[in-house]
Amino acid sequence: MKGLSEKISPLDHHISFNKLLKQYDEMAESEDSFLATKARYILNAQAPFPELREGFSDITLLEKHKEVIQIILQDLFSSVLTTNEIKTASSPYTDIIFNSSQRFEKILAAAGPNYLPQIRNQEEEVNYIMACVVILNFHYGYNLDFKRPFFYDIPDAKGVMRHYRILYNADFMEIIPNGIPLGITQEDVDKLLENIDNVDLWKQKIPPNSFISKGFVISNMFDVTAEHSISEIKSNLIINDKSGGNFIKGVENTFKSLFGLPNMRIGFSVYNSKDEQFERVSVNGINSFILQKKQVETCNEALCKSSYSKLIDQNHYFVISDVDKYYKLSQGMAPYKGLYEQKIKSALLAPIAKNGQLLGVLELVSDKANDLNSVNATKLDDVIPYIVSAVLRSIQEEENLIDAVIQNECTSVHPAVYWKFKEEAKRFILDDMEGLQPSFREIVFDEVYPLYGQVDIQNSSQERNMAIQRDLMIQLSEIKQIMTEVWQKYSLPIYEELIFRVDNHLDEIKEALHTNSEQAIFDFVQEEINPVFAHIKKSDTQIQNLLLSYEAKIDKGTGSYYDHRKNYDQSVMLINKKLASVIDSKQEEAQQMYPHYFERYKTDGVEHNMYIGDSITGARAFDLLYLNNLRLWQLQVICEMENKHYDLKSKLQVQLNVASLILVYNGSLSIRFRMDEKRFDVDGTYNARYEIIKKRIDKSYIKGTNERLTQAGKIAIVYSQKKDELEYLRYIRFLKAKGYFSGKVEIVELEGLQGVSGLKAIRASILYKSHKEKDKTYTYEDLMLELNK
């Protein structure tokens, strides 16, 4: 025997027609003879089977009494409406149906043989609580809202999923205690409502099978596929993560339901109004049938005049109900050609536009002619506004992402100070919401200690000028050789005059390259030589080969010889890249020791600024120990950058040397974020002395000599206070023991800079070694331990 209550429930379900039959009991006594006769007929049909009135849980009886049940339910299932209504009689909140209209039976038949419909979202625990709420209302008299929409999802004959909303008529239900029920107070109800997820508590107050559900329900169903599809499209468009193929498949299936077309596919292309072109969406799984495999295509190439006018000018649907037909009529014009080649038979191109501005095109296509047409195109009217909102949001998100990338790559706010910018941004937004005139206040950090260092390419200007000089001399020599050939062949005085001027330029740059020489020679070649070469190349095939050989050596970007300069530029770029990678990776370790502001930038070498102090970290207490630790770290890292260059030098096209420098500033200062420059700078005229020293220090000389402070193979540590000297001599002794420095250390006095005097420097010779594994970073505590041994 198969029962109704297979799931745990507070209700023991029994099918009964008692409440309906009671109405016929009254009708049998009616003065209306027609109604009375009909009622007696129904009652007589039921009389031999008392279980139909008393109730039963054995569902095999449904088939046994099928004909009698149809007689009892004849007024509820009108034969006139049976092909129109979608209607069933069933046990409440179950999938057990025992009577249905012809239209419902047709829907089931189309779904396939042995298809059994199931109510969507029938979770066992939720059903238990819902049944309890029914009991609280109908037996205990509480007024709780238990209404919840139920749906059947049933595919049609084409395989397209259709959705039906179920409306229950529970007029023929009775809730009867199964024994003596527990008392339920308002306090109990309040507790239950506070613990809606605690099924065990609900089972304690209303135990399983403590009540009998006696009767049946009438289910009236309505096809809500269109409304459901629109709702699903809205939901899918709200989802932030649109990166996976499941999202696209879900949206496509929803559109299939909306249009009732199982073979329909969707695509999308973005409209770039600036360049007047369609672009592929950068999301996996989204295709474009207009673009096919192309990333971009101009609108004129992707569309014909008619489709261009409809989509872009009028923002109106463009429907191609028969692609083959219009492909032939247009003699293979776009967009018919591309659709025809993809074996698409009908298409609907829908503009996604806001205030007359086209944002993109939604592309619906089918492999059957007339599937998409001007009639069913109107189905999109209810969907397009949500797609427009999603596209606008997507555009905004992309712009935000672009801004984030630009900020991260170009004007990054360092993580150590980000919290301060975030606080100010929140204040800015709050002021704006309150209708004030917000302004982003400057970010200032007081009482911070600066650290500055650089690993600079030595004599970079001379090396660059030497490279330019060599390239110009080679180019002028090649030009002279060609012009000599031309003059000897044609003997025109103008050619001899040009050779004379080439010689003058060669003599001018042979000893040294002057400031204006490069531009003057470039202008001479462009304005005087190139037109002559162009003329000769047309008329003389013999000299043409010389000219082609010459032109092959000219760089397209610079318009001149770019050989030695290229070697120089590539060498500088490689040095900068390698040096920056060392300090960037080491910075991550340094931030773990104590958070601080850090910035580095590449010039002819790599420079860095650091600021450390309590105002930057905010919550974490600052101690000068952390400054000492960072100074020691900086010294080690510059040694490692020097060693990286040492390993790299043999691989460089130009053997460039580097020289390193550290500036020690005794005391704290304030820094301010300059909004116009998007960088931090020292604040106040007194503190500006520090910036002046930074800019001029690497050009300084040792007092009383012509010797530059910075030298290859040495780190120069510039300072003004005796205690800084002692501190750094301590660091050097410690790092010498760890293999960073050789024994040679000197203390020198510097020539006075403009506005700055009294500076001294320690110069320590670096011990170079090949780094085959990551060096250990030593801390200030390691130094103290070493000194106390």
Side-chain angles (χ1 to χ4, degrees):
M1 182 181 74
K2 190 175 179 182
L4 283 171
S5 303
E6 293 183 344
K7 296 178 181 179
I8 298 173
S9 171
L11 291 169
D12 184 8
H13 293 290
H14 288 69
I15 295 173
S16 167
F17 302 95
N18 182 52
K19 284 193 75 173
L20 177 59
L21 291 169
K22 282 184 177 180
Q23 293 188 23
Y24 286 119
D25 288 337
E26 294 177 5
M27 288 171 61
E29 304 298 326
S30 171
E31 295 180 359
D32 187 325
S33 61
F34 175 77
L35 290 177
T37 301
K38 184 178 182 180
R40 283 194 292 271
Y41 167 72
I42 292 171
L43 291 170
N44 290 335
Q46 176 273 321
F49 311 106
E51 61 268 27
L52 295 178
R53 192 185 280 266
E54 294 167 2
F56 58 90
S57 59
D58 179 5
I59 61 172
T60 61
L61 296 178
L62 291 171
E63 183 62 29
K64 180 181 177 182
H65 300 310
K66 182 178 180 180
E67 293 181 2
V68 177
I69 291 172
Q70 286 180 342
I71 293 171
I72 295 171
L73 297 176
Q74 63 180 272
D75 285 338
L76 299 178
F77 287 83
S78 169
S79 57
V80 176
L81 299 175
T82 190
T83 57
N84 178 268
E85 290 183 325
I86 310 173
K87 193 172 186 179
T88 66
S90 65
S91 176
Y93 304 118
T94 72
D95 299 313
I96 297 171
I97 297 169
F98 50 82
N99 203 63
S100 56
S101 65
Q102 286 183 19
R103 185 176 175 191
F104 183 77
E105 289 172 357
K106 276 188 177 181
I107 290 170
L108 287 188
N114 303 318
Y115 182 85
L116 296 175
Q118 291 186 327
I119 298 172
R120 189 199 309 164
N121 300 329
Q122 281 284 77
E123 303 93 344
E124 185 173 337
E125 292 184 346
V126 173
N127 279 348
Y128 192 99
I129 292 173
M130 283 207 47
C132 288
V133 171
V134 171
I135 293 167
L136 288 172
N137 281 2
F138 287 92
H139 178 76
Y140 290 99
Y142 293 102
N143 186 20
L144 304 179
D145 187 358
F146 67 96
K147 293 178 182 177
R148 180 187 178 198
F150 290 96
F151 297 89
Y152 277 136
D153 301 321
I154 306 173
D156 64 13
K158 298 177 182 177
V160 175
M161 189 63 71
R162 308 209 53 93
H163 308 279
Y164 303 90
R165 181 167 182 176
I166 306 167
L167 296 181
Y168 282 120
N169 180 343
D171 289 348
F172 307 107
M173 289 294 303
E174 300 174 83
I175 304 294
I176 305 167
N178 189 6
I180 301 173
L182 297 174
I184 302 289
T185 64
Q186 183 64 52
E187 185 179 348
D188 292 328
V189 173
D190 293 342
K191 189 174 181 180
L192 288 170
L193 294 177
E194 290 171 4
N195 294 275
I196 196 66
D197 296 325
N198 188 349
V199 179
D200 291 335
L201 178 64
W202 286 80
K203 288 179 179 178
Q204 180 185 335
K205 297 295 181 183
I206 307 177
N209 298 321
S210 56
F211 285 82
I212 296 173
S213 159
K214 187 177 173 183
F216 67 97
V217 291
I218 296 295
S219 302
N220 288 284
M221 283 160 275
F222 300 91
D223 190 333
V224 292
T225 302
E227 293 84 349
H228 182 273
S229 299
I230 293 169
S231 177
E232 282 291 295
I233 290 168
K234 287 163 58 179
S235 299
N236 282 321
L237 294 174
I238 290 170
I239 296 171
N240 284 324
D241 181 14
K242 301 183 178 66
S243 57
N246 288 338
F247 163 75
I248 306 304
K249 188 176 180 181
V251 172
E252 196 166 72
N253 287 337
T254 307
F255 270 99
K256 288 178 182 179
S257 292
L258 179 63
F259 280 82
L261 300 174
N263 297 323
M264 190 179 76
R265 290 174 290 160
I266 65 167
F268 193 85
S269 50
V270 175
Y271 176 66
N272 181 335
S273 58
K274 178 177 175 290
D275 299 321
E276 293 189 347
Q277 65 185 22
F278 292 117
E279 299 175 356
R280 185 176 291 277
V281 180
S282 56
V283 175
N284 292 334
I286 297 186
N287 295 317
S288 171
F289 304 105
I290 295 177
L291 294 172
Q292 299 184 66
K293 294 182 179 180
K294 298 175 186 175
Q295 291 295 324
V296 297
E297 188 169 28
T298 62
C299 298
N300 287 330
E301 293 174 343
L303 302 173
C304 61
K305 284 186 179 180
S306 177
S307 55
Y308 186 100
S309 174
K310 285 258 186 173
L311 292 170
I312 297 175
D313 295 336
Q314 302 173 33
N315 294 157
H316 198 275
Y317 302 139
F318 184 72
V319 182
I320 310 170
S321 55
D322 190 337
V323 171
D324 290 358
K325 173 184 173 183
Y326 287 96
Y327 171 74
K328 292 173 184 175
L329 288 174
S330 68
Q331 297 181 345
M333 289 177 60
Y336 313 109
K337 182 177 184 291
L339 297 173
Y340 178 82
E341 289 173 350
Q342 296 172 79
K343 302 189 185 309
I344 292 167
K345 301 302 181 183
S346 61
L348 167 57
L349 306 180
I352 308 302
K354 182 73 173 177
N355 298 327
Q357 296 296 315
L358 186 67
L359 306 172
V361 175
L362 176 66
E363 308 162 7
L364 308 183
V365 301
S366 173
D367 57 7
K368 186 178 177 183
N370 296 313
D371 264 2
L372 295 158
N373 51 67
S374 56
V375 175
N376 61 15
T378 58
K379 287 177 179 284
L380 284 178
D381 290 346
D382 296 322
V383 177
I384 290 295
Y386 305 111
I387 299 177
V388 169
S389 298
V391 171
L392 286 171
R393 188 176 71 248
S394 179
I395 291 170
Q396 186 61 54
E397 287 171 357
E398 184 178 21
E399 288 176 355
N400 292 342
L401 181 59
I402 290 169
D403 289 343
V405 170
I406 291 171
Q407 180 170 339
N408 185 56
E409 298 297 324
C410 307
T411 57
S412 174
V413 175
H414 193 269
V417 296
Y418 180 74
W419 64 272
K420 187 77 171 178
F421 285 84
K422 190 175 180 180
E423 281 185 355
E424 182 58 24
K426 285 181 177 179
R427 185 202 61 79
F428 181 96
I429 293 168
L430 188 61
D431 285 355
D432 188 43
M433 290 173 65
E434 291 178 356
L436 305 175
Q437 293 183 338
S439 61
F440 202 95
R441 295 180 300 205
E442 289 184 316
I443 306 294
V444 180
F445 293 102
D446 296 317
E447 297 290 321
V448 296
Y449 295 86
L451 296 93
Y452 170 77
Q454 66 176 41
V455 181
D456 198 33
I457 296 172
Q458 270 199 316
N459 304 319
S460 56
S461 297
Q462 293 94 311
E463 292 284 354
R464 184 184 288 105
N465 286 341
M466 193 181 300
I468 295 169
Q469 182 185 18
R470 287 172 179 168
D471 279 340
L472 289 176
M473 288 184 71
I474 294 170
Q475 184 176 6
L476 289 169
S477 298
E478 290 258 355
I479 291 171
K480 181 181 177 181
Q481 181 184 346
I482 296 170
M483 289 305 305
T484 302
E485 289 272 349
V486 172
W487 178 63
Q488 289 174 351
K489 189 170 184 178
Y490 295 105
S491 301
L492 293 179
I494 188 66
Y495 295 150
E496 186 178 11
E497 191 267 343
L498 285 173
I499 293 170
F500 174 76
R501 289 167 67 186
V502 170
D503 283 333
N504 282 343
H505 282 300
L506 276 167
D507 291 338
E508 184 183 328
I509 65 171
K510 194 173 291 182
E511 297 300 325
L513 186 71
H514 300 292
T515 308
N516 64 337
S517 296
E518 182 182 6
Q519 187 62 48
I521 293 171
F522 180 80
D523 291 342
F524 168 65
V525 172
Q526 293 291 320
E527 296 168 11
E528 307 283 347
I529 298 297
N530 286 350
V532 172
F533 282 0
H535 166 70
I536 294 168
K537 193 160 66 169
K538 292 177 184 176
S539 58
D540 193 315
T541 55
Q542 184 181 351
I543 296 175
Q544 187 180 64
N545 293 329
L546 288 174
L547 289 172
L548 290 173
S549 176
Y550 164 78
E551 289 172 353
K553 298 172 187 174
I554 298 295
D555 180 74
K556 292 182 180 179
T558 61
S560 58
Y561 266 44
Y562 185 59
D563 185 21
H564 290 85
R565 274 177 289 180
K566 182 179 180 181
N567 291 338
Y568 172 82
D569 289 343
Q570 287 181 344
S571 298
V572 170
M573 183 178 69
L574 188 57
I575 289 171
N576 284 345
K577 182 180 177 181
K578 295 295 184 182
L579 295 182
S581 70
V582 173
I583 195 167
D584 287 349
S585 62
K586 290 290 183 181
Q587 241 299 296
E588 295 178 12
E589 298 175 14
Q591 292 293 341
Q592 296 301 317
M593 298 175 191
Y594 190 85
H596 57 278
Y597 178 78
F598 169 82
E599 64 178 358
R600 67 112 180 102
Y601 37 96
K602 301 173 186 175
T603 51
D604 285 342
V606 174
E607 299 179 43
H608 66 270
N609 286 309
M610 295 185 289
Y611 300 99
I612 188 169
D614 186 65
S615 61
I616 287 177
T617 52
R620 190 169 170 183
F622 176 74
D623 190 279
L624 286 176
L625 168 72
Y626 297 117
L627 172 62
N628 297 332
N629 198 69
L630 196 58
R631 285 178 170 180
L632 179 58
W633 172 88
Q634 181 188 36
L635 193 56
Q636 292 175 79
V637 170
I638 287 183
C639 285
E640 292 185 27
M641 292 168 76
E642 283 267 7
N643 270 276
K644 175 63 77 174
H645 174 263
Y646 175 78
D647 288 340
L648 180 68
K649 190 174 178 182
S650 62
K651 303 169 189 172
L652 298 174
Q653 299 275 4
V654 181
Q655 300 291 299
L656 299 169
N657 291 317
V658 297
S660 299
L661 177 144
I662 289 174
L663 175 60
V664 183
Y665 188 80
N666 189 271
S668 62
L669 44 73
S670 297
I671 57 172
R672 181 184 297 271
F673 187 79
R674 307 292 180 187
M675 299 299 290
D676 52 345
E677 299 176 12
K678 297 292 184 285
R679 63 184 297 268
F680 277 101
D681 204 351
V682 295
D683 191 32
T685 53
Y686 174 75
N687 294 328
R689 180 174 179 270
Y690 174 72
E691 287 293 331
I692 293 170
I693 297 172
K694 267 172 46 179
K695 290 173 182 175
R696 299 175 182 171
I697 194 64
D698 65 325
K699 303 293 190 294
S700 61
Y701 290 86
I702 295 173
K703 193 170 185 179
T705 71
N706 290 324
E707 183 183 346
R708 286 278 293 269
L709 167 65
T710 53
Q711 287 187 357
K714 298 179 180 180
I715 292 181
I717 303 164
V718 180
Y719 60 92
S720 61
Q721 301 292 324
K722 184 66 177 178
K723 70 173 187 175
D724 294 327
E725 177 186 302
L726 297 174
E727 180 182 347
Y728 274 87
L729 286 173
R730 217 166 58 236
Y731 296 159
I732 291 168
R733 283 197 300 273
F734 171 67
L735 292 177
K736 178 188 172 186
K738 302 300 180 185
Y740 283 85
F741 293 104
S742 66
K744 190 175 180 182
V745 177
E746 55 185 323
I747 298 173
V748 296
E749 191 174 344
L750 305 186
E751 286 284 2
L753 303 172
Q754 185 179 351
V756 180
S757 60
L759 295 178
K760 298 177 75 176
I762 301 169
R763 289 201 303 196
S765 297
I766 300 162
L767 183 62
Y768 291 102
K769 52 189 176 179
S770 181
H771 288 285
K772 293 186 178 177
E773 58 184 45
K774 191 175 180 182
D775 282 352
K776 179 182 178 182
T777 301
Y778 296 97
T779 66
Y780 190 74
E781 287 87 344
D782 297 325
L783 170 66
M784 293 294 103
L785 288 171
E786 190 77 18
L787 294 176
N788 291 329
K789 285 182 181 178

